[in-house]
Amino acid sequence: MATLRSGSSDSVSSVSFSPDGLLIASGSYDRKVKLWSRSGTLLKTLTGHKDSVMSVSFSPDGKVLASAGRDNRVILWNLDLDDLLVRGCDWVGDYLRTNPNVSDRDRHLCDGVAPKSQF
């Protein structure tokens, strides 16, 4: 059993379960969004709000997490790992291909990752 804290500056103000039930997102008064495993292990802390996070909610497919804060901002967090991999490979592709200091093995890190234009 895991307990999300209450009664302190990092008190939880909102909780949401992912559609598949594997992740829990929490928003708190310390301006942070946290992703937890369902067993209660902290997986990632997301920062970006300038004031308390008042609400968190997953999209129906679980690929986006929305957080709303007292800073009058809604942040959409991309949780789609396939999309993040494609974006990362798009970003480092030229570096991996052209930098003379990259090992031959590392040059192929993004082999098989489809570029955005193929989606």
Side-chain angles (χ1 to χ4, degrees):
M1 181 171 149
T3 302
L4 300 177
R5 296 180 67 164
S6 64
S8 64
S9 65
D10 60 350
S11 291
V12 173
S13 56
S14 179
V15 174
S16 180
F17 284 83
S18 64
D20 62 8
L22 298 177
L23 291 176
I24 303 166
S26 66
S28 55
Y29 292 102
D30 65 358
R31 305 180 311 243
K32 296 176 184 169
V33 174
K34 294 183 179 180
L35 293 176
W36 308 83
S37 70
R38 67 179 171 192
S39 66
T41 302
L42 178 62
L43 302 172
K44 183 73 178 171
T45 299
L46 306 171
T47 58
H49 283 282
K50 297 179 188 319
D51 203 343
S52 302
V53 178
M54 300 311 295
S55 181
V56 290
S57 182
F58 284 94
S59 63
D61 64 4
K63 294 182 177 185
V64 176
L65 176 68
S67 61
R70 282 192 175 155
D71 56 2
N72 296 319
R73 297 175 64 194
V74 172
I75 298 176
L76 301 178
W77 306 94
N78 184 353
L79 303 179
D80 182 353
L81 297 180
D82 292 331
D83 179 58
L84 293 173
L85 181 61
V86 168
R87 288 177 188 224
C89 284
D90 280 350
W91 186 66
V92 301
D94 287 337
Y95 173 83
L96 292 173
R97 285 189 298 278
T98 60
N99 188 307
N101 298 319
V102 173
S103 72
D104 286 336
R105 188 188 82 185
D106 288 347
R107 287 189 196 285
H108 301 284
L109 287 172
C110 289
D111 289 359
V113 176
K116 285 184 203 179
S117 61
Q118 292 185 2
F119 286 103

